[in-house]
Amino acid sequence: MTGSDVLDYITAVRAGEINQTDYLERLMKKLHDENYRLGMFSKMHEKPKGKSDGPLAGLPFSVKDNICVKGFPIRAGSRILIGYTPPFDSTVVEQMIRAGAAFIGSTNMDEFGFGTFCTNCGFGVPKNPFDESRSCGGSSGGAAAATAIMKHHVALAESTGGSISCPATFCGVVGLTPTYGRVSRYGLIDYANSLDKIGLMARSIDDIALVLPIISGPDARDSTSMTQEPLSLENGKIKNIAVPVELMSAISDYRIPSIFRKALDELKESGIEIAEVEMPMMKFSIPAYYILACAEASTNLAKYCGMRYGKEGTHMERRYNSFFTEVRTEAFGEEAKRRILLGTFARMAGYRDKYYMKALMVRRKIIDEFERVFRDYDLIASPTMPLVSPEFEKIQEMSPASVYALDFLTVPPNLAGLPHLSMPMGYVDGLPTGIHFIAPHWEERRLISIGRNWEQQMEYRFPMSLEGTP
Amino acid sequence: MESLGIQIDRETIERVARLSRIRLTSEQEEQLLRDFQEILTAFSSIDEAEADCEPAFHPIEIRNILREDEPHATIPPDEILERMKTLQRFIRGPRMQ
């Protein structure tokens, strides 16, 4: 059984049993050494400060490097944003600070979220705390590693196509991606607006249940958050779970389905009915997702041109196209350039209907297919990733298309904007694997319910439990 | 190379890079041509999808919600301008012509 150390910590801070200022000072000292080894943080706060009261009193929290914090350098893992210091807090940061939490730093990520392994990073590649020769998963890799090693901490992360679930799995922590629109994106540096979602990583489902209500709710500064249904985390019984055969049949590492079947058996023993279902549209999710994500990214990243934000161009005497081209060529990384070009191609006159519009229609069909399954089942489940975290050497040998293809389990709920939860499922040669639960829009409470059920049965392993005790 | 029934060649890569305001070396063009061919071939399966329906621009239904048109405080312009290269409170940029 896995429980919440965070709740105990907050209770102790509020009762005056832990002085959170001293705790944070000691924690940061220890964290500096670990960060030198693992490279989780893009930048650490020099003197974090929380409150001694509030629902998150003194709780250390990190943000992915694409969530704005006033006066703190935020760069979305990109060298094109070197020098950018936001003049405002994102809504989620405001909410966390108001609740008493202490901001401790920004975590490393793939440039603008472009990656499955957190290796396309402008400011250091984080190493997996379970095995430093392996990836943390992407794109919120630093957030997952930080969560895996700290006893009292939650990470604000972000997912476009699986950037919370994948690293949560590889680093053996819990990752929740809420319904699209549940958490305000105000202050999030965009990758793809119709897909981006801010979510959470923590070491227990109770930590997620504690923080989710604090960062949820309508925000007039993000119109997509305004039409959401109220969040209720009232515990409800999960009656049945569907397992899509198309997703299972595409997993090549036999060890993953084997552990997954054992997990299903345990869920059955707790009285949940499990059934296989067919979801034939799932096989189109990778092309539809990458076409849409790259198309949106290519327009979002057009604003980075050497003036206004981040890296400044130096040759003002040049004509504007030459000036912009110089800066973009120098500062964008290889994967960012590839995705900008793919997205520009998909939107070009002559190709738009064939790629972009077709992908949007496929997305509609995928949403319809999920809705059909949810008419009969409470949740959908699969493994989170089709492999355990690979070694960096192996990743270098993979082609871009083969890396994109590995996202086939995490992309479908992201494309459909459905809330989903990845939890540690078991261990292969000491490395974590993940189980993925997907719920209907706005039904995060079902994820919290299944998460609590799962943690009754599962004892998580963490590589270390850093804390700010003397 | 035929991908989704579309010819991808070096000229296409050059054109897309020009539109994206990114300059590529000859080696990068070669590499991206190979990447495009592999990626678009992998994506060609989307042609088989029967999806003659309304496009989903968003994954959830988005409705307009209007607020009262009243002035409210926002970030002071000077706080934004101090982060940029400016001249007499104008943002400096390269020449247009």
Side-chain angles (χ1 to χ4, degrees):
Chain A
M1 180 169 168
T2 300
S4 169
D5 293 316
V6 160
L7 289 171
D8 295 342
Y9 167 79
I10 291 170
T11 305
V13 169
R14 290 166 58 131
E17 292 159 13
I18 291 178
N19 179 318
Q20 54 101 18
T21 310
D22 295 346
Y23 179 96
L24 289 166
E25 197 178 321
R26 284 191 293 263
L27 175 69
M28 295 310 280
K29 273 188 193 151
K30 294 179 187 175
L31 202 52
H32 268 105
D33 293 340
E34 293 308 323
N35 194 45
Y36 184 75
R37 183 170 69 89
L38 295 169
M40 301 154 287
F41 285 87
S42 169
K43 186 169 169 57
M44 292 169 69
H45 198 293
E46 285 175 12
K47 206 162 181 172
K49 207 167 71 182
K51 292 182 196 160
S52 303
D53 55 8
L56 302 182
L59 177 65
F61 79 97
S62 57
V63 303
K64 188 175 178 177
D65 190 27
N66 57 356
I67 297 173
C68 287
V69 180
K70 186 175 181 177
F72 194 86
I74 291 292
R75 303 171 293 198
S78 179
R79 304 190 71 78
I80 208 156
L81 274 167
I82 285 178
Y84 177 60
T85 307
F88 64 99
D89 278 329
S90 53
T91 299
V92 282
V93 167
E94 270 179 10
Q95 290 162 323
M96 292 293 287
I97 289 173
R98 199 182 305 132
F103 167 63
I104 60 167
S106 57
T107 50
N108 273 319
M109 59 181 284
D110 286 294
E111 183 172 15
F112 290 105
F114 301 150
T116 300
F117 296 120
C118 211
T119 48
N120 306 317
C121 309
F123 308 100
V125 174
K127 294 172 187 165
N128 193 311
F130 280 87
D131 176 347
E132 292 173 37
S133 68
R134 295 175 188 268
S135 157
C136 288
S139 65
S140 312
T147 308
I149 69 155
M150 266 187 283
K151 194 171 180 182
H152 308 129
H153 159 262
V154 293
L156 294 180
E158 176 272 338
S159 175
T160 306
S163 287
I164 292 177
S165 291
C166 165
T169 290
F170 285 176
C171 292
V173 299
V174 181
L176 177 96
T177 306
T179 308
Y180 176 84
R182 172 67 83 196
V183 175
S184 169
R185 288 180 295 118
Y186 176 75
L188 173 71
I189 296 174
D190 304 316
Y191 164 177
N193 307 53
S194 81
L195 295 154
D196 296 341
K197 300 156 295 282
I198 291 177
L200 292 164
M201 286 188 197
R203 288 162 66 126
S204 125
I205 193 69
D206 286 335
D207 304 348
I208 301 268
L210 174 72
V211 180
L212 183 63
I214 288 165
I215 62 167
S216 299
D219 176 14
R221 297 174 294 188
D222 171 9
S223 60
T224 57
S225 75
M226 291 302 288
T227 48
Q228 65 179 277
E229 291 176 19
L231 178 73
S232 157
L233 297 186
E234 192 183 319
N235 225 353
K237 184 167 165 54
I238 301 299
K239 293 194 297 290
N240 55 16
I241 296 177
V243 177
V245 288
E246 289 80 1
L247 297 185
M248 294 306 298
S249 63
I251 299 171
S252 54
D253 182 342
Y254 71 94
R255 298 173 300 178
I256 304 289
S258 165
I259 294 183
F260 180 66
R261 277 191 291 273
K262 279 186 201 154
L264 293 182
D265 286 343
E266 288 181 33
L267 290 171
K268 273 187 210 167
E269 277 176 28
S270 70
I272 297 172
E273 182 198 332
I274 309 284
E276 288 191 336
V277 293
E278 290 184 357
M279 297 186 74
M281 288 304 290
M282 291 298 109
K283 64 176 177 285
F284 303 117
S285 59
I286 287 287
Y289 166 76
Y290 273 94
I291 290 167
L292 295 178
C294 291
E296 292 186 30
S298 67
T299 58
N300 279 328
L301 270 58
K303 61 180 169 273
Y304 302 114
C305 59
M307 45 190 284
R308 294 178 297 165
Y309 322 93
K311 188 175 169 58
E312 297 271 7
T314 49
H315 297 286
M316 285 290 182
E317 74 284 0
R318 292 194 176 164
R319 299 266 168 89
Y320 70 104
N321 269 342
S322 161
F323 176 92
F324 298 157
T325 302
E326 195 66 37
V327 174
R328 291 163 66 80
T329 300
E330 192 190 319
F332 282 135
E334 192 185 327
E335 183 61 23
K337 286 175 184 166
R338 188 180 292 115
R339 295 201 192 193
I340 291 169
L341 264 61
L342 270 172
T344 305
F345 174 75
R347 291 184 298 109
M348 263 168 39
Y351 304 140
R352 186 173 176 271
D353 285 352
K354 196 164 185 58
Y355 289 99
Y356 181 65
M357 294 307 292
K358 181 71 187 267
L360 288 170
M361 289 188 272
V362 168
R363 167 147 77 174
R364 168 73 62 209
K365 288 285 182 185
I366 287 172
I367 294 169
D368 291 348
E369 191 164 81
F370 272 115
E371 285 176 357
R372 171 178 60 77
V373 173
F374 285 131
R375 280 201 283 273
D376 297 321
Y377 296 91
D378 292 335
L379 294 168
I380 292 171
S382 73
T384 309
M385 290 300 290
L387 72 175
V388 293
S389 170
E391 290 161 323
F392 290 116
E393 275 178 18
K394 297 256 168 62
I395 293 168
Q396 279 179 342
E397 294 164 9
M398 297 179 187
S399 70
S402 64
V403 173
Y404 300 169
L406 292 172
D407 296 340
F408 70 94
L409 295 168
T410 58
V411 151
N414 280 281
L415 197 56
L418 297 163
H420 49 283
L421 174 71
S422 180
M423 308 194 77
M425 172 171 74
Y427 301 84
V428 169
D429 299 333
L431 297 169
T433 62
I435 185 166
H436 216 208
F437 296 104
I438 307 168
H441 290 134
W442 316 117
E443 286 289 336
E444 282 84 356
R445 67 177 171 167
R446 295 190 198 180
L447 299 175
I448 301 295
S449 290
I450 194 71
R452 286 185 168 137
N453 179 322
W454 182 242
E455 286 189 359
Q456 292 288 320
Q457 305 165 53
M458 178 79 192
E459 188 72 45
Y460 298 161
R461 301 176 200 166
F462 296 112
M464 63 189 301
S465 289
L466 212 61
E467 54 183 320
T469 46
Chain B
M1 174 74 198
E2 194 80 358
S3 298
L4 279 175
I6 287 169
Q7 193 78 15
I8 303 297
D9 53 22
R10 191 130 173 198
E11 218 169 90
T12 314
I13 299 291
E14 284 172 8
R15 187 174 159 217
V16 175
R18 206 167 45 248
L19 285 170
S20 307
R21 307 285 184 265
I22 287 170
R23 192 171 45 250
L24 300 173
T25 62
S26 182
E27 293 76 30
Q28 286 172 324
E29 279 179 6
E30 280 297 325
Q31 181 58 53
L32 275 164
L33 179 58
R34 284 196 294 274
D35 291 346
F36 263 55
Q37 286 167 349
E38 191 191 357
I39 292 165
L40 295 176
T41 301
F43 288 2
S44 63
S45 66
I46 201 171
D47 259 1
E48 298 162 21
E50 286 178 23
D52 190 12
C53 57
E54 279 296 304
F57 289 98
H58 285 96
I60 56 167
E61 189 192 344
I62 307 279
R63 296 188 307 275
N64 276 336
I65 295 179
L66 303 178
R67 60 169 168 76
E68 291 303 312
D69 187 16
E70 290 168 349
H72 60 275
T74 178
I75 304 167
D78 284 340
E79 276 190 36
I80 298 171
L81 287 170
E82 73 187 18
R83 288 164 163 79
M84 303 172 187
K85 278 188 179 165
T86 55
L87 182 67
Q88 294 168 357
R89 300 186 90 242
F90 288 98
I91 301 163
R92 289 188 65 187
R95 60 181 66 236
M96 298 293 283
Q97 292 294 326

